[in-house]
Amino acid sequence: MAGSSGEQDEFYLRYYVGHKGKFGHEFLEFEFRPDGKLRYANNSNYKNDTMIRKEVFVTPAVLRECRRIIADSEIMKEDDNNWPEPDRVGRQELEIVMGNEHISFTTSKIGSLVDVQSSKDPEGLRIFYYLVQDLKCFVFSLISLHFKIKPIQS
Amino acid sequence: MAASAGDVEVVDFEPDDDDLMDEDAAAHADASPTATAPKLRSAVTGGASSFAFGETRKTKGRGFREDAGPDQGSRLAARDFDSLDSDGGPGPQRCVFTVEGWIVLVTGVHEEAQEDDVHNAFREFGQVKNLHLNLNRRTGFVKGYALIEYENFKEAQDAITMLNGTELLTQTIYVDWAFSKGPIRRRNMGRSITVSIIGQLQYAVSEYED
């Protein structure tokens, strides 16, 4: 299976998006650790809500797929030098270790492609923008399936 | 329900949590990272001796140069993460909440696959309770993986055994478990953790010898 050359390499992924405001430190964060632990945290104090934290061990197959998603995006070739700095509106962090490369990007929140296109590095930021969406999809599916979270049936 | 004004941070972290990613990193907190190691509080670079690649790793990004973001070090450090009970051994983990379920991961899915294609291939082994066939957010095609839930272990195991390495829509798919009961134990990881523990024990023993 493709990717076996990367099997012995280190892999780590962490994504954070959040801001501080009227409802406290509202953020979403998830992390894939090399030992397969997936941790997810979502916090808000909106209407006195409290933090949600979930964790589960995923298999090497899941880590491999995560690596493939990241490799396909080519995010490891990018740099956040010209990306907008985090601001009052919010902050995003993406940290990835793959093999002998380690990236740690921070930037502001991205509202839409308009923000991407009007930035100083639209190509790189676009890659980041879509990768984050794909990773969120993956993580949300894993977490919601494992913890059996289903929409409320009326 | 007055919203807290301005800067009060109302998050429920245990006050005695260290600025460490988690309990594993705590044991290695004293191991000083190499001079060029980035200022990150993640478990990977927190000095944990099992990941000895720091010196040769290329680093890139603002995250290495800036101050840490809010609560960094404590956001994922707290110990009260929800998880489902397991005995910690290897092997697939069952999903127990109100209903039991077993989740398999399918990779190598053709980008034009429809949910029906996947459903039809997998329903042969049991009723598909849940199917996630996520899309590539940029192209609108299928991203390439699917997550499928069966009600019992045998159905899921059969699907894995029979479909792993077979073809779906002219492309080879791989089918495996998605979740496991405990951490992945790689040979390297195990060995170096053992070494560091033995090292510490020897040191502790020698302290008491007199």
Short mmCIF file of all heavy atoms in Angstrom, two decimals, chain A residues 40-70:
data_model
loop_
_atom_site.label_atom_id
_atom_site.label_comp_id
_atom_site.label_asym_id
_atom_site.label_seq_id
_atom_site.Cartn_x
_atom_site.Cartn_y
_atom_site.Cartn_z
N TYR A 40 -9.90 15.82 21.17
CA TYR A 40 -10.75 16.86 20.62
C TYR A 40 -11.27 17.70 21.77
O TYR A 40 -11.70 17.17 22.79
CB TYR A 40 -11.90 16.16 19.87
CG TYR A 40 -13.06 17.04 19.53
CD1 TYR A 40 -13.10 17.70 18.30
CD2 TYR A 40 -14.12 17.22 20.40
CE1 TYR A 40 -14.18 18.51 17.97
CE2 TYR A 40 -15.20 18.02 20.08
CZ TYR A 40 -15.23 18.65 18.86
OH TYR A 40 -16.29 19.45 18.54
N ALA A 41 -11.22 19.02 21.61
CA ALA A 41 -11.74 19.89 22.65
C ALA A 41 -12.49 21.03 22.00
O ALA A 41 -12.05 21.57 20.99
CB ALA A 41 -10.60 20.42 23.52
N ASN A 42 -13.61 21.36 22.59
CA ASN A 42 -14.43 22.44 22.05
C ASN A 42 -14.98 23.21 23.23
O ASN A 42 -15.63 22.64 24.10
CB ASN A 42 -15.56 21.83 21.22
CG ASN A 42 -16.24 22.87 20.34
OD1 ASN A 42 -16.25 24.05 20.65
ND2 ASN A 42 -16.81 22.43 19.24
N ASN A 43 -14.68 24.50 23.29
CA ASN A 43 -15.06 25.25 24.47
C ASN A 43 -15.82 26.52 24.16
O ASN A 43 -15.47 27.24 23.23
CB ASN A 43 -13.82 25.62 25.28
CG ASN A 43 -14.19 26.29 26.58
OD1 ASN A 43 -14.94 25.74 27.38
ND2 ASN A 43 -13.73 27.52 26.80
N SER A 44 -16.81 26.76 24.93
CA SER A 44 -17.49 28.06 24.87
C SER A 44 -18.22 28.25 26.17
O SER A 44 -18.66 27.30 26.80
CB SER A 44 -18.49 28.07 23.71
OG SER A 44 -19.27 29.25 23.78
N ASN A 45 -18.37 29.51 26.55
CA ASN A 45 -19.19 29.80 27.73
C ASN A 45 -20.48 30.48 27.35
O ASN A 45 -21.16 31.06 28.20
CB ASN A 45 -18.39 30.68 28.70
CG ASN A 45 -17.15 29.96 29.16
OD1 ASN A 45 -16.05 30.44 28.95
ND2 ASN A 45 -17.33 28.80 29.74
N TYR A 46 -20.78 30.41 26.09
CA TYR A 46 -22.05 30.95 25.62
C TYR A 46 -23.17 30.29 26.39
O TYR A 46 -23.23 29.06 26.48
CB TYR A 46 -22.18 30.63 24.13
CG TYR A 46 -23.45 31.10 23.50
CD1 TYR A 46 -23.72 32.46 23.36
CD2 TYR A 46 -24.38 30.19 23.03
CE1 TYR A 46 -24.90 32.89 22.78
CE2 TYR A 46 -25.55 30.62 22.45
CZ TYR A 46 -25.82 31.97 22.32
OH TYR A 46 -26.97 32.38 21.75
N LYS A 47 -24.02 31.10 26.97
CA LYS A 47 -25.09 30.58 27.81
C LYS A 47 -24.55 29.60 28.85
O LYS A 47 -25.14 28.55 29.10
CB LYS A 47 -26.17 29.89 26.97
CG LYS A 47 -26.86 30.86 26.03
CD LYS A 47 -28.12 30.29 25.42
CE LYS A 47 -28.83 31.35 24.60
NZ LYS A 47 -29.96 30.83 23.85
N ASN A 48 -23.42 29.96 29.41
CA ASN A 48 -22.80 29.16 30.48
C ASN A 48 -22.48 27.74 30.05
O ASN A 48 -22.45 26.84 30.88
CB ASN A 48 -23.71 29.14 31.72
CG ASN A 48 -23.92 30.52 32.28
OD1 ASN A 48 -22.97 31.30 32.36
ND2 ASN A 48 -25.14 30.84 32.63
N ASP A 49 -22.23 27.55 28.79
CA ASP A 49 -21.84 26.22 28.32
C ASP A 49 -20.46 25.88 28.87
O ASP A 49 -19.71 26.76 29.27
CB ASP A 49 -21.82 26.23 26.79
CG ASP A 49 -21.97 24.83 26.22
OD1 ASP A 49 -22.18 23.89 27.00
OD2 ASP A 49 -21.86 24.69 24.99
N THR A 50 -20.15 24.60 28.89
CA THR A 50 -18.84 24.18 29.38
C THR A 50 -18.08 23.43 28.29
O THR A 50 -18.60 23.17 27.22
CB THR A 50 -18.98 23.26 30.60
OG1 THR A 50 -19.85 22.19 30.24
CG2 THR A 50 -19.56 24.02 31.77
N MET A 51 -16.83 23.08 28.64
CA MET A 51 -15.97 22.48 27.64
C MET A 51 -16.38 21.06 27.31
O MET A 51 -16.80 20.30 28.15
CB MET A 51 -14.51 22.50 28.09
CG MET A 51 -13.65 21.90 27.03
SD MET A 51 -11.89 22.21 27.10
CE MET A 51 -11.74 23.76 27.82
N ILE A 52 -16.23 20.74 26.04
CA ILE A 52 -16.39 19.37 25.59
C ILE A 52 -15.01 18.84 25.28
O ILE A 52 -14.25 19.46 24.54
CB ILE A 52 -17.23 19.31 24.30
CG1 ILE A 52 -18.64 19.81 24.57
CG2 ILE A 52 -17.26 17.90 23.74
CD1 ILE A 52 -19.44 20.07 23.31
N ARG A 53 -14.67 17.70 25.86
CA ARG A 53 -13.39 17.07 25.55
C ARG A 53 -13.65 15.60 25.23
O ARG A 53 -14.34 14.93 25.99
CB ARG A 53 -12.44 17.15 26.75
CG ARG A 53 -11.86 18.49 27.04
CD ARG A 53 -10.75 18.32 28.05
NE ARG A 53 -10.27 19.59 28.54
CZ ARG A 53 -10.64 20.14 29.69
NH1 ARG A 53 -11.51 19.54 30.47
NH2 ARG A 53 -10.14 21.30 30.05
N LYS A 54 -13.11 15.17 24.12
CA LYS A 54 -13.25 13.76 23.77
C LYS A 54 -11.88 13.23 23.40
O LYS A 54 -11.05 13.95 22.83
CB LYS A 54 -14.16 13.59 22.55
CG LYS A 54 -15.52 14.26 22.66
CD LYS A 54 -16.48 13.44 23.45
CE LYS A 54 -17.86 14.09 23.51
NZ LYS A 54 -18.67 13.55 24.59
N GLU A 55 -11.67 11.95 23.68
CA GLU A 55 -10.44 11.35 23.17
C GLU A 55 -10.69 9.89 22.84
O GLU A 55 -11.53 9.23 23.46
CB GLU A 55 -9.27 11.52 24.12
CG GLU A 55 -9.39 10.80 25.44
CD GLU A 55 -8.16 11.02 26.31
OE1 GLU A 55 -7.42 12.02 26.08
OE2 GLU A 55 -7.92 10.21 27.19
N VAL A 56 -9.96 9.42 21.87
CA VAL A 56 -10.13 8.04 21.43
C VAL A 56 -8.84 7.63 20.73
O VAL A 56 -8.11 8.48 20.20
CB VAL A 56 -11.34 7.91 20.47
CG1 VAL A 56 -11.14 8.72 19.19
CG2 VAL A 56 -11.60 6.46 20.12
N PHE A 57 -8.54 6.35 20.75
CA PHE A 57 -7.37 5.87 20.02
C PHE A 57 -7.78 5.45 18.62
O PHE A 57 -8.73 4.67 18.45
CB PHE A 57 -6.74 4.68 20.74
CG PHE A 57 -5.90 5.08 21.91
CD1 PHE A 57 -6.35 4.90 23.21
CD2 PHE A 57 -4.64 5.67 21.72
CE1 PHE A 57 -5.57 5.29 24.30
CE2 PHE A 57 -3.87 6.06 22.80
CZ PHE A 57 -4.34 5.87 24.10
N VAL A 58 -7.07 5.96 17.64
CA VAL A 58 -7.34 5.55 16.26
C VAL A 58 -6.25 4.59 15.82
O VAL A 58 -5.18 4.50 16.42
CB VAL A 58 -7.40 6.77 15.30
CG1 VAL A 58 -8.55 7.69 15.68
CG2 VAL A 58 -6.08 7.51 15.26
N THR A 59 -6.56 3.86 14.76
CA THR A 59 -5.62 2.85 14.27
C THR A 59 -4.59 3.48 13.34
O THR A 59 -4.77 4.60 12.86
CB THR A 59 -6.37 1.77 13.49
OG1 THR A 59 -7.12 2.41 12.44
CG2 THR A 59 -7.32 0.99 14.39
N PRO A 60 -3.50 2.73 13.05
CA PRO A 60 -2.53 3.23 12.08
C PRO A 60 -3.17 3.54 10.73
O PRO A 60 -2.72 4.46 10.03
CB PRO A 60 -1.54 2.07 11.96
CG PRO A 60 -1.61 1.36 13.26
CD PRO A 60 -3.04 1.49 13.71
N ALA A 61 -4.24 2.82 10.38
CA ALA A 61 -4.91 3.10 9.11
C ALA A 61 -5.45 4.53 9.08
O ALA A 61 -5.36 5.23 8.05
CB ALA A 61 -6.06 2.11 8.90
N VAL A 62 -5.99 4.97 10.20
CA VAL A 62 -6.52 6.33 10.27
C VAL A 62 -5.38 7.35 10.17
O VAL A 62 -5.49 8.35 9.46
CB VAL A 62 -7.32 6.53 11.57
CG1 VAL A 62 -7.64 7.99 11.80
CG2 VAL A 62 -8.59 5.71 11.53
N LEU A 63 -4.29 7.08 10.87
CA LEU A 63 -3.16 8.01 10.80
C LEU A 63 -2.61 8.08 9.38
O LEU A 63 -2.23 9.14 8.89
CB LEU A 63 -2.05 7.58 11.77
CG LEU A 63 -2.34 7.72 13.26
CD1 LEU A 63 -1.09 7.40 14.07
CD2 LEU A 63 -2.82 9.12 13.60
N ARG A 64 -2.59 6.91 8.71
CA ARG A 64 -2.09 6.90 7.33
C ARG A 64 -2.97 7.76 6.44
O ARG A 64 -2.47 8.52 5.62
CB ARG A 64 -2.08 5.47 6.78
CG ARG A 64 -0.80 4.71 7.02
CD ARG A 64 -0.71 3.50 6.13
NE ARG A 64 -1.80 2.57 6.34
CZ ARG A 64 -1.79 1.59 7.22
NH1 ARG A 64 -0.74 1.41 8.00
NH2 ARG A 64 -2.82 0.78 7.35
N GLU A 65 -4.26 7.66 6.62
CA GLU A 65 -5.17 8.45 5.79
C GLU A 65 -5.02 9.94 6.10
O GLU A 65 -5.05 10.78 5.21
CB GLU A 65 -6.62 7.99 6.01
CG GLU A 65 -7.65 8.72 5.16
CD GLU A 65 -7.48 8.52 3.66
OE1 GLU A 65 -6.64 7.68 3.24
OE2 GLU A 65 -8.16 9.22 2.89
N CYS A 66 -4.81 10.24 7.36
CA CYS A 66 -4.58 11.63 7.75
C CYS A 66 -3.32 12.16 7.08
O CYS A 66 -3.29 13.27 6.54
CB CYS A 66 -4.47 11.72 9.27
SG CYS A 66 -4.69 13.38 9.90
N ARG A 67 -2.28 11.36 7.08
CA ARG A 67 -1.03 11.75 6.43
C ARG A 67 -1.24 11.96 4.94
O ARG A 67 -0.69 12.88 4.33
CB ARG A 67 0.04 10.68 6.62
CG ARG A 67 0.49 10.47 8.04
CD ARG A 67 1.44 9.32 8.15
NE ARG A 67 2.72 9.68 7.59
CZ ARG A 67 3.87 9.55 8.23
NH1 ARG A 67 3.90 9.07 9.46
NH2 ARG A 67 5.00 9.89 7.65
N ARG A 68 -2.04 11.08 4.33
CA ARG A 68 -2.28 11.20 2.89
C ARG A 68 -3.00 12.52 2.59
O ARG A 68 -2.65 13.22 1.65
CB ARG A 68 -3.11 10.01 2.38
CG ARG A 68 -3.37 10.09 0.88
CD ARG A 68 -4.50 9.17 0.42
NE ARG A 68 -5.80 9.59 0.89
CZ ARG A 68 -6.60 10.45 0.24
NH1 ARG A 68 -6.20 11.00 -0.89
NH2 ARG A 68 -7.78 10.75 0.75
N ILE A 69 -3.99 12.84 3.40
CA ILE A 69 -4.73 14.09 3.20
C ILE A 69 -3.77 15.28 3.28
O ILE A 69 -3.84 16.22 2.48
CB ILE A 69 -5.86 14.22 4.25
CG1 ILE A 69 -6.95 13.18 3.99
CG2 ILE A 69 -6.44 15.62 4.25
CD1 ILE A 69 -8.00 13.12 5.07
N ILE A 70 -2.88 15.22 4.24
CA ILE A 70 -1.92 16.31 4.41
C ILE A 70 -0.93 16.34 3.27
O ILE A 70 -0.63 17.41 2.71
CB ILE A 70 -1.18 16.16 5.76
CG1 ILE A 70 -2.16 16.40 6.91
CG2 ILE A 70 -0.02 17.12 5.85
CD1 ILE A 70 -1.62 15.98 8.24
#
